Structures are given as C-alpha cells and as structure tokens.
Amino acid sequence: MSETLLERLAGWAGALELDDVPPRVAAFAKSQVLSQLAAARAGLGHELGEKLVRAFGHPLQDDPKSAAYVLAALTAALDFDDTVYAGHVTHSTVNVPLAHARALDLDGRTALTAILAANECAARVTASATLGTFRGQTAAHAHLAGGVVARLRAEGAPLPTWVNALGIAFAAPPWTLTRAFLGSDAKVLTGATPVRIALDACDAAAAGLGGAPDMLEHPDGFLAKFASVPLPEAAVAGLGERWHTETTSLKVHPGSAYVSACVDCAVELHGRLDGASPDDVREVVVHGSVFTLGMQHRSQPYLDGAGSSAVAINFSVPYNVATALLTGGLSPADLAPPGVEEPARWELAGRVRLEHDDELTKRAVLATAPLGEALREAGPRVEEWLSAAGGGEQATAIVEGLGPPSPDFTGAEKAIGARIAVRLADGRELTAERDIALGAAGPDTRERHAELMREKFVATGGSPDAAEAFASLERLSAGELADALRQALSV
C-alpha cells in the first residue's frame, strides 16, 4: 500500500536535519523569527494585545500551549506578519517552537530545524488547497499542519505519533467567516485557534488516539471540502529540493500584503509633496491589481472612519495611503489613537480612488505567490476555476502564459504592485510605482531580508542585542535561547 500524503510529510519532516537545508533557506527562517517577534511586540503595545494578555496571559508564561496560543493571536492582531507560498504559516511554524523553547529545553539549532520542517509542511498543505475558498489569513488550516509538525519535530516524536496527530488535527478544520474576520476582533484568533487544535492533537496522539492517515486526499477528507481544484501533488512536491521557506515575504508596514505596495508608493510621494497640505491634494488615484481592488471591496462595508477597528483598517487602501502620504510612513501606532482619530487622514482618504490595472493583475496572478504557482500546478484544470472567479476573457490568456510548475523557488516573487498618482490643486501630478512591495518575495528581499527584519524588530522597541542573538539562532544554547526570548518579548 502506498504512503498517504500525511505519512510522506511526516516521514520527511521527522528525518530533517539542519545540515540538509541550504544556508540561504535557513536564513529566511531566521528572518521569519525576527518578523514574528516584532509583530508580537507591536501587538503587545496595542489595545488588542492588552485584551489578549488579559484573556490568555503573556507569551512568556510557563504553559507552552497558552504561550503559543497568545503568540499566534498577537502576531496576527495587526497584520504585521509574513507569508510564504502558500499561507501565513509562521503564526504556528515559528511561534510553537518559540513557545515550547523553555518547556522542552530547546537549543537554537533544534528550534530552527523545527521551524523549517513546519514551514515546509504547512506551506505545502496550504498550497494544495489554494484554489479554494480560503487564502491568506483565512486559510487557518495552515496552522493545523504547522503546529503539529513544529511541536513534534521539536520533541523528536516517533513517526506514528506524527501521522495520528496530523489526522486528528485535520478532523475539523476551521472555516473562516467573513463577517467575523473583517467585522469583529475575532479575526485575531484565526491563527491561535488552529494552533490550539494542533497542540491538543499532539497530546491526543501521544496518549494513543488515532487519526486517519489519508485525511488530506480521501474523498471525504480535507481537500474534497476545502479545494475547488485540489492539488494533492503540491503537498509533497519537491520535498528537500523545492523550499517553500524561500518564498517568504516579510512586511515592513502593518496591513494586508495587498496594500503594501500602495503604502510604499505613498511613502515615496510624501517626500516629493514639498509640505503640501491635505487641502492641496485634489485627488489620489491608486492603480492596483484585482487582489487590491477585491480586498478593498470586501472590507469597505466594515469601515467607519475614526470608529473603525484596527482589523478593518488593515485592509483599507484609502486610510493607509492617506496616512503614509501625510506622515511619510505607516506604523502600528497608526492603527490606534490618536493617529487613527486625526480628521485630516480621513478627509484625505475620502479623496482616494482605486482603479483596476490589467497589467498589474496579470503580473500579480502569474507571480509565485499568492496564486501563480498553484495555477501552474493545476495547469489546464484551472481555466474553468479562473473564469468562475471573475477572470473573464483574461482566463484563457493567463492559462496560456502559465508555463510548467517551478522546479525550485530560488527566483520566487510576490508581485502585487501598485501605481499612485497624486493630483494637486495647482495642476501638478506626482506619480510613483512599485512592482514588488518592500520586503515581498523578489530580488531585493533575497538580498537584504535580514537587514529589513532587524530594522523592523528594533523599530518595535526590540533590543539590538536580541536581534543579533536571533541572527545566530542555530548557535544558541538552550539557556541563551531562553534569555533571548525573554529579552525579545519583554515589553
């Protein structure tokens, strides 16, 4: 009898050693650690984080399950996280090993290996269902795989425990509802809840409970319910050769990745406005892809000016662009009073208009993430799905331009670009354009992701010494790792 998908993933991840991983790939995982720690610090400094700590405790608490839960919530709270192809996996793949570091006496090498194993499994499972109902943070099932693999690799658990835990975790995957995700604070728990399910599944399997080993591919299993075009082959493609960790996109501004390039353009234009006041701006036109316009369309009903929640604001192109134009940046502080209450921001946001750009859409859809590689995996099967998803006449052209699946991810890109035109009352028009957002997967990020994440961590108040420690994570002893985590998460 052939191995199931979960058996293949578990067998590979359980045998993975850090020496098996190319250094360039391991370096991305270390940047993910700093990114998640920075996101946690930002969350702790916001009122959402204060409520989370009151409800579930501090991330430095002794109970590793609760620590992992609250870390996953804090790092999701302000959408200041990072992504891979496919998914926002690090809420589990990074946070679970960090939360268990003291309880399991993990050294840095073991923690980093667990992160890498979990990244690769969680990303592949998420990729296998990318052509379905959920993507981005709503694809919360990523953390069922991420949480199980991260913990069991850190523990060195036997193979049967892995397979049973994964089967149990995927017994009842989360189904995210838009009303809650965009219209309430519950969105902050979309990563935390499946992390807890995954950790409970580990305990259940260790106690002898069994899970279905074919839970992913069975006709009554996960892919049959969560994928419109199931890609079971993506779950195990290129294990040990095609590294999903290498597709990492890292945020330098809080907010959806679909607004990141817009903010980058606005930051650039701020420096060219020569002190112009909001009243001097007649109109701001944001040209974007279908991803950006679709996000704005879905989030708009949940926005209420200065009364908007931080969750809704994370998805607002007008507010984030207006803020960056006025201040020259966008930080976690802009998602809370007094910044979010400034009338000038909302007045300028009211003059921001979005327009669809066919070329930006084609570039974004064909890029590795968030969708392009899944389309290549699907091949001709995807044309009908694209048409149903609103691809229209472009669907055939997109399919013809796809090419075969990528043999590796050394050239991975997440090209969700934007072009902004600021039209001033005096008749001038200032423009800026970005093909790939700062920090998103692409040539620039491959060159300097470590530098960008060090800056992100320090900007949230993180210690430069802690940043240096995590840059050498694989060389930290268990005691040194515990000390670095205490330093990094003490706010």
Side-chain angles (χ1 to χ4, degrees):
M1 185 174 178
S2 61
E3 284 186 307
T4 67
L5 295 177
L6 291 181
E7 287 169 340
R8 289 185 63 184
L9 287 171
W12 177 83
L16 181 70
E17 298 294 343
L18 190 57
D19 290 341
D20 301 328
V21 183
R24 70 179 190 277
V25 176
F28 269 111
K30 290 188 285 186
S31 287
Q32 290 175 338
V33 171
L34 274 185
S35 175
Q36 284 288 289
L37 290 170
R41 291 186 62 86
L44 285 167
H46 191 275
E47 64 177 3
L48 284 174
E50 295 171 1
K51 294 173 183 176
L52 286 167
V53 170
R54 284 202 298 273
F56 305 110
H58 194 275
L60 289 174
Q61 64 187 282
D62 290 335
D63 176 18
K65 268 191 182 180
S66 296
Y69 185 96
V70 75
L71 266 177
L74 287 168
T75 53
L78 303 182
D79 223 316
F80 205 14
D81 55 357
D82 40 85
T83 64
V84 298
Y85 170 70
H88 293 241
V89 301
T90 52
H91 299 305
S92 56
T93 65
V94 169
N95 289 332
V96 167
L98 296 186
H100 284 77
R102 284 185 298 154
L104 297 178
D105 202 28
L106 300 182
D107 60 24
R109 187 177 185 86
T110 304
L112 183 57
T113 305
I115 290 167
L116 286 157
N119 276 347
E120 296 302 315
C121 293
R124 282 175 166 79
V125 170
T126 311
S128 71
T130 285
L131 302 181
T133 304
F134 304 114
R135 283 185 297 281
Q137 287 187 339
T138 67
H141 47 263
H143 309 302
L144 301 176
V148 168
V149 174
R151 177 172 161 186
L152 297 185
R153 181 60 186 82
E155 290 181 343
L159 181 59
T161 302
W162 291 68
V163 178
N164 285 322
L166 286 165
I168 292 168
F170 276 90
W175 189 276
T176 307
L177 299 178
T178 301
R179 173 65 180 91
F181 185 83
L182 289 174
S184 78
D185 291 341
K187 179 258 188 185
V188 305
L189 302 180
T190 53
T193 298
V195 162
R196 186 63 189 238
I197 293 171
L199 297 179
D200 283 346
C202 292
D203 288 340
L209 291 176
D214 57 355
M215 200 64 219
L216 296 185
E217 67 269 36
H218 192 277
D220 288 329
F222 169 71
L223 287 175
K225 304 300 181 185
F226 276 71
S228 303
V229 182
L231 302 174
E233 63 275 24
V236 292
L239 283 167
E241 297 174 357
R242 194 169 79 150
W243 297 93
H244 285 248
T245 303
E246 201 164 14
T247 68
T248 296
S249 290
L250 300 146
K251 291 180 187 173
V252 299
H253 313 294
S256 169
Y258 297 170
V259 77
S260 296
C262 305
V263 173
D264 291 339
C265 291
V267 169
E268 177 185 336
L269 290 168
H270 169 83
R272 293 160 52 193
L273 284 172
D274 299 324
S277 72
D279 291 338
D280 296 325
V281 177
R282 181 168 56 86
E283 184 181 40
V284 180
V285 182
V286 176
H287 303 267
S289 72
V290 67
F291 294 112
T292 299
L293 271 74
M295 173 200 68
Q296 181 61 32
H297 174 73
R298 288 189 298 274
S299 64
Q300 185 61 44
Y302 298 99
L303 289 164
D304 184 27
S308 302
S309 69
V311 171
I313 289 172
N314 275 151
F315 297 91
S316 170
V317 175
Y319 175 83
N320 289 299
V321 165
T323 297
L325 282 171
L326 291 173
T327 68
L330 183 72
S331 74
D334 294 309
L335 303 174
V340 76
E341 296 173 340
E342 290 181 7
R345 300 188 185 193
W346 293 101
E347 290 170 10
L348 183 55
R351 296 196 288 277
V352 175
R353 177 167 59 85
L354 276 69
E355 288 190 1
H356 179 245
D357 186 289
D358 285 340
E359 289 303 311
L360 287 173
T361 285
K362 186 175 181 180
R363 178 81 169 88
V365 168
L366 292 177
T368 310
L371 201 58
E373 192 59 28
L375 300 181
R376 282 183 279 278
E377 291 276 0
R381 290 176 289 170
V382 84
E383 187 168 351
E384 184 178 345
W385 181 84
L386 275 173
S387 297
E393 296 178 357
Q394 280 193 326
T396 300
I398 288 172
V399 170
E400 290 174 350
L402 284 174
S406 304
D408 60 52
F409 289 136
T410 54
E413 291 184 338
K414 187 173 187 176
I416 302 176
R419 185 173 68 259
I420 293 184
V422 177
R423 295 167 182 166
L424 300 171
D426 62 10
R428 288 182 296 151
E429 180 173 297
L430 305 177
T431 62
E433 183 170 1
R434 283 201 73 98
D435 188 32
I436 297 174
L438 183 64
D444 181 67
T445 299
R446 280 190 285 278
E447 185 71 23
R448 59 192 189 105
H449 59 86
E451 170 195 344
L452 290 172
M453 289 306 98
R454 184 185 187 281
E455 292 172 358
K456 174 179 176 176
F457 179 73
V458 172
T460 61
S463 159
D465 289 342
E468 289 302 316
F470 285 107
S472 302
L473 176 57
E474 69 276 24
R475 294 198 288 272
L476 298 182
S477 67
E480 289 169 335
L481 176 54
D483 288 343
L485 285 170
R486 276 191 291 269
Q487 192 174 14
L489 292 171
S490 296
V491 177

